[in-house]
Amino acid sequence: MTPNLRGSALMVAAMMGFAVEDALFKAATAGVSPGLGTLSFGLLGLTIYAALVRRAGLPVWTRGYLGKTMLVRSGFEVMGRLFFALALAYAPLSVTSAILQAAPLVVTLGAALFLAEPVGPRRWIAMGVGFGGVLLILRPGLDGVAPSAIFALLGMIGFAARDLATRASPPEISATQLGIPGFATVTLAGAVILIAEGGWPDPPDVRAAGLLCATALCGVTAYFALTLAMRTGEVSVVAPFRYARLLAALILAFVVFGERPDWPTLAGAALIVGSGLYTLWRARRTSGQMAPGAVDAAVARKDSTP
């Protein structure tokens, strides 16, 4: 198996894992409040990652977590996790997953506006088409937009801003260590939701607790597979396979939750994925005249993490 084929397979596996994680969390919140579910998920993931970091011989705590860039990253992580958890609990899984796929487009937009990265007119058009797909899913009208869909949109924006901040994170903090502040912010987001819900909810039953444990295991495993994928083969070849998450989510939404996305939702999802793939392709082609190895670095800067 070539490195590109192995990296692509790992990326598909990671995206399948994240889709299953989302479905498990949505199923768990049918029997437990979103706040308690998010808090439990964050604590479980934090415990697992702390064990992984210790096993790797790295410190669980480092002062680098308190750096300005990391604090900004953590703030947007809280925003993304908070609203994405609410979207999973209250919005259709198909809609939430489709809107999440616009995150790479928002990362490209943010890199152009705030990091002065060059973006040609074709990619600007592609981003416009992708954002048009988001509007097609949201379908704002005289009655406004469903609050649950707004949750998904805000969660996607939070994740995209987090990814921009991740690019400037201290290099001495390993990818494994980044999971510590990542799941710590999930825990914080759960606490914020709990406060907004008012009072302490009933503890999860055996079924919900089992689903939350499975959610954490899927999330950590998928993140590990994603890390391996991004370090195996060419990033410009591996990265487009992240859109497999949407296909897996649509299948799970249909089979597990009985969702039937309408044609505007499917068309909007197709526009988002198509524009995202085109943006990645243009990034690779535009970088074709760079020195060897720079192509993958340029595309990696455009890629976002879940």
Side-chain angles (χ1 to χ4, degrees), residues 153-291:
L153 181 63
L154 292 175
M156 180 270 291
I157 293 173
F159 284 144
R162 173 207 62 186
D163 294 336
L164 283 172
T166 299
R167 293 175 48 189
S169 60
E172 62 270 17
I173 300 178
S174 70
T176 305
Q177 286 175 305
L178 281 176
I180 298 296
F183 275 97
T185 55
V186 175
T187 305
L188 178 59
V192 172
I193 298 174
L194 272 177
I195 293 173
E197 289 173 343
W200 187 261
D202 295 331
D205 56 23
V206 175
R207 176 181 177 276
L211 288 172
L212 289 173
C213 289
T215 300
L217 288 173
C218 279
V220 171
T221 303
Y223 188 85
F224 183 70
L226 174 65
T227 302
L228 289 178
M230 297 306 292
R231 293 179 176 178
T232 305
E234 302 173 52
V235 174
S236 53
V237 174
V238 173
F241 285 93
R242 70 182 309 110
Y243 289 104
R245 180 175 184 170
L246 178 58
L247 176 60
L250 290 175
I251 294 174
L252 288 171
F254 180 85
V255 174
V256 179
F257 301 105
E259 295 180 13
R260 304 293 187 272
D262 55 20
W263 283 110
T265 298
L266 294 175
L271 288 177
I272 293 171
V273 172
S275 58
L277 290 173
Y278 179 80
T279 300
L280 286 170
W281 177 76
R282 286 297 301 177
R284 184 180 187 185
R285 183 171 180 178
T286 302
S287 305
Q289 297 179 347
M290 294 182 179

Side-chain angles (χ1 to χ4, degrees), residues 18 21 39 51 63 65 113 126 131 138 164 177 230 255 290:
F18 283 127
E21 172 200 334
L39 179 66
R63 290 185 61 84
Y65 295 156
L113 295 178
F131 295 142
L138 295 176
L164 283 172
Q177 286 175 305
M230 297 306 292
V255 174
M290 294 182 179

Side-chain angles (χ1 to χ4, degrees), residues 44-165:
L44 288 168
L46 185 60
T47 301
I48 295 172
Y49 255 101
L52 292 175
V53 169
R54 290 294 295 172
R55 183 179 181 182
L58 299 171
V60 175
W61 169 260
T62 171
R63 290 185 61 84
Y65 295 156
L66 298 179
K68 180 179 179 181
T69 301
M70 288 298 297
L71 290 176
V72 171
R73 180 185 185 274
S74 296
F76 282 117
E77 177 92 43
V78 170
M79 174 184 173
R81 291 292 181 179
L82 191 157
F83 287 109
F84 190 63
L86 292 174
L88 285 174
Y90 298 117
L93 179 61
S94 55
V95 171
T96 301
S97 299
I99 293 176
L100 180 64
Q101 302 311 308
L105 298 175
V106 177
V107 171
T108 301
L109 177 62
L113 295 178
F114 302 110
L115 301 181
E117 289 196 2
V119 175
R122 295 182 181 181
R123 274 192 281 170
W124 280 110
I125 294 174
M127 283 188 286
V129 171
F131 295 142
V134 174
L135 290 177
L136 192 58
I137 295 173
L138 295 176
R139 273 164 281 175
L142 295 178
D143 297 331
V145 180
S148 58
I150 293 296
F151 291 154
L153 181 63
L154 292 175
M156 180 270 291
I157 293 173
F159 284 144
R162 173 207 62 186
D163 294 336
L164 283 172

